[in-house]
Structure formats: structure tokens, C-alpha cells
Amino acid sequence: MKSKKNIILVIFSDPMMFPPTCNAANILAEKGWRVKLLGYKYHNWEKIVLHPKVQLLYLGELKPGIANVINYCLLYFKLFYHTLRMQARWIYVYDAGPVGPACFCSLLLGIKWGYHNHDLFYNVHGWFNIIKYLEIKLAKKADFVSFPQSNRAYLFKNEAHLKVEPLIVYNSPRLDFSQVSKKSVFNIEQLLQQQYSLIIYQGTISGKFEIENICKSLKVVKSKIALIIIGKELETGELQKLKDFIVNEEVGGKIIFLRGIPYDELPALTKKCKIGLAKFSNSDPNELNNYYLIGASNKIAEYVGCGLTVLAPDTPVNKAFFDQYKIGYLCNPNDPVDIASSIDALITDKDKYDEISSNNRRLFNEFLCYDKQFEKVLFELNK
């Protein structure tokens, strides 16, 4: 007998790398669902606190090459086993990998499944073409499909010929994100006492994200600022490359690197900053996930929730979002002088800054927080 309140969330990655995945599990547990969260362990990623009623189970470790193929093949059997044992009513898939296994379980066990497309799967090579093929062919069989960004949703809808209208569920932290009181081991009070305005970039560090232009802007920015860069490397060696670039370019200014902050310590840092920096690599429309990042970027919602103003690249997609929600300023991501001018404008115009900051807190509380966004998914699950 399948329980109406039993659900499996599954991701072909480490759920600790994806706060919205953990947020979904926690909200479901708070709403009375029995939740089993399945994934694959990746290194020693920071732990995200899960609700006591969420059972996290690693099915293996993420490994390259043939080991990854074996993990994928075994997922069909492992997901079937856990679904049957739990007597789950729903499977909620959080990336492309488990689409085939979830559809397989649905057909054999007669249960419902939903698919959240975390990222568009494109320009794939090798065996990943199989996952891409199954995603396109099988997503239309899901009871609902959700996306963190509207442009991505309609690109996929046309490609996969979806029968249902996609849900748009923005990635974001929980409503209480900015109220989390756990202090970080890194103390920024001295910087604040010295009258520095703090600018923050939080997220993974990659050569693809063009953080160098942000650092270059420190040469010409007029305000007294300190740049805090928080995050782990997406590719090995990228952090050292960035540090070498700063030295070689004689960037100057105060730049603080923090490799990784536990997620429950992040708000203590974020809310003391003034400006939050988006990825500056999303000006190429051929890089679909980067170009259509606004809405899918958890870091932007974290900034908004803490009342920061946001600085992002000036692209048509970003402009449409910023025009609608007024969360900050746009600038030319390839021009350090324009980046610096935007930083100065946000810091020196106190009235404008306070207006944006107040608007952002209200927007987050009433609309953008994950508690509000996930209501669309809860509606589908409770039908």
C-alpha cells in the first residue's frame, strides 16, 4: 500500500552541493511527508542541515569514467528497490540523470513522478548523450516538470514536446535565511570598524566566471571597499590562478578569499555586506545555463534575502528581470571601469541603496524565498 505522504527525492550528484534540493526535502518533511533523499557523495562538501524526518542516503560516490556509467546503470535497480521498500507515492527527480530510472519505476510500480530540470543538458559528449536522449524522450511522461528559469523552461518544452506547462520555481534559500544566527569563524567586524563597504562574491570559483574583471575594477573604484570571495574551486588550480592574476596585474585593494563557509554560517557574512556580485560570465547566449542564469542563481536570491543590492552583467535576460524586480544595477561585465562606476553609484547614493535594499527584503519575504516558490510543487504533489 503506497503512502500518500511518502516521497523519494533523487539527484545524480551530491545533494549537499544544491541547497534548493535540500530546501525541498526540508519543506516536504515540515509538511508531514516522509522523505528519502538519494544522491551520490562528492568529496567533503559542506553539510546542509536537514530536517530530522529527512533520510539522506548516498547510493555511492561520484567518480569519473566507467565508474560513473556503472553508477548510472545501477541507479535503475537501486531506485526501484528504495521506491518499493518505502512504498513511495512520488519520485521527484532533481537533475537529468535519474529521469530514466524514475520513469522506469513509475511504469513498473504505477506511481507518480515529477522532474525538476536543474540545468539544461546541452553540448554533451560520449555516454552522456544517452542521458540526454532519455531526458528528452521521457520528460513528457512526468506528471509535472519544473525549472528554475523561464527561458530555459520554454527552450526545453519545445525540444521535449512537453504535454504539461512547466512550473517556474526559482532557486532560493528558505524564508529564515537572513535570520540564521550562527556566526562564521571569519570575523569581518574589523573591516566594518575601518569603514570599508563590503562587496561579496559567493559561489564556486571557475575560470569560466570571469572574476578577473571584478578584481580589475578595484584599480579604479573610488569608494573604500573590501571584496570578499567565498567558494570552492570548480576546477583544480583556479583559485591559485586567480590569486596569481591579482598579483601580476597589481590589482591592489583589499581582497579576502574564503575557501568554503558552511551554509548555515553564510548569512552571518552575507548580511553585513552591501553589494552582492552575480556571475560575470553569462553574456554569451550560446552558454545556455550561464546566459539564462537569473532566477536559477541561488546566490542572487541569497543576496536579495539579506537586503543586499545586486550587481550583474547587462544582458537582455538580466535586464528583463531587473526591470521587473528592481534588485540592483547592471553593468558591462567586460569593462572594469563600468563595473567600478556601478559599485561607486550603489555605495555613494545612500537613498537609492536603502530603497533597493528595502525592496529586496520585501520581495524575498513575499515572493522569492523557497518557501513561497515551492508552493507550486506542493500543489502538484497534493493533487
Side-chain angles (χ1 to χ4, degrees), residues 114-126:
Y115 173 39
H116 180 79
N117 180 291
H118 178 76
D119 276 325
L120 293 175
F121 218 42
Y122 68 100
N123 292 338
V124 294
H125 305 283

Side-chain angles (χ1 to χ4, degrees), residues 15-159:
M16 291 294 123
M17 296 172 64
F18 302 95
T21 309
C22 297
N23 290 343
N26 286 339
I27 291 172
L28 286 165
E30 290 167 13
K31 297 293 183 181
W33 288 76
R34 182 180 166 216
V35 183
K36 185 177 284 189
L37 177 57
L38 306 179
Y40 290 82
K41 191 168 184 60
Y42 183 70
H43 297 315
N44 292 313
W45 213 261
E46 278 76 30
K47 293 287 185 183
I48 297 175
V49 178
L50 294 173
H51 190 281
K53 292 185 179 179
V54 175
Q55 181 187 1
L56 172 62
L57 180 64
Y58 285 114
L59 302 176
E61 292 188 17
L62 282 180
K63 296 179 179 179
I66 191 65
N68 207 25
V69 179
I70 294 172
N71 273 339
Y72 176 74
C73 294
L74 290 176
L75 181 56
Y76 282 82
F77 302 98
K78 291 181 178 181
L79 184 58
F80 180 84
Y81 168 78
H82 286 288
T83 304
L84 187 62
R85 184 177 181 183
M86 188 190 195
Q87 294 294 294
R89 180 190 175 208
W90 276 94
I91 298 174
Y92 191 19
V93 175
Y94 248 82
D95 63 355
V99 165
C103 187
F104 171 76
C105 291
S106 174
L107 291 173
L108 288 184
L109 300 175
I111 65 170
K112 295 182 178 182
W113 68 289
Y115 173 39
H116 180 79
N117 180 291
H118 178 76
D119 276 325
L120 293 175
F121 218 42
Y122 68 100
N123 292 338
V124 294
H125 305 283
W127 80 278
F128 287 104
N129 283 294
I130 297 172
I131 293 181
K132 171 67 174 177
Y133 175 82
L134 291 173
E135 179 196 35
I136 295 299
K137 290 296 181 182
L138 300 179
K140 64 174 70 73
K141 298 182 181 295
D143 292 274
F144 70 89
V145 181
S146 58
F147 291 80
Q149 207 276 339
S150 57
N151 301 87
R152 295 185 190 183
Y154 292 106
L155 284 173
F156 186 87
K157 179 185 178 183
N158 292 333
E159 184 179 10

Side-chain angles (χ1 to χ4, degrees), residues 208-322:
K208 301 175 184 178
F209 297 167
E210 299 176 15
I211 302 174
E212 292 84 355
N213 284 335
I214 297 171
C215 296
K216 278 184 179 180
S217 72
L218 299 186
K219 282 185 173 184
V220 289
V221 72
K222 297 176 182 177
S223 304
K224 186 178 181 180
I225 66 167
L227 172 61
I228 300 174
I229 299 176
I230 300 176
K232 288 189 173 182
E233 299 169 307
L234 200 57
E235 302 98 13
T236 302
E238 285 301 327
L239 181 58
Q240 189 57 51
K241 285 182 184 178
L242 182 58
K243 289 181 177 181
D244 291 343
F245 170 85
I246 290 168
V247 172
N248 294 335
E249 289 288 323
E250 298 180 350
V251 167
K254 187 170 285 293
I255 304 176
I256 298 109
F257 289 94
L258 301 176
R259 270 191 176 272
I261 297 291
Y263 196 67
D264 60 349
E265 293 181 14
L266 190 57
L269 282 175
T270 306
K271 64 187 178 184
K272 291 184 178 180
C273 299
K274 292 184 74 70
I275 299 174
L277 300 171
K279 284 183 184 177
F280 271 46
S281 60
N282 59 0
S283 56
D284 183 356
N286 294 314
E287 294 288 334
L288 295 179
N289 289 320
N290 277 332
Y291 189 69
Y292 297 120
L293 187 62
I294 194 72
S297 173
N298 204 59
K299 70 163 63 64
I300 288 181
E302 290 165 355
Y303 299 152
V304 171
C306 289
L308 278 64
T309 57
V310 180
L311 187 60
D314 189 356
T315 66
V317 179
N318 288 349
K319 188 175 187 307
F321 191 92
F322 275 58

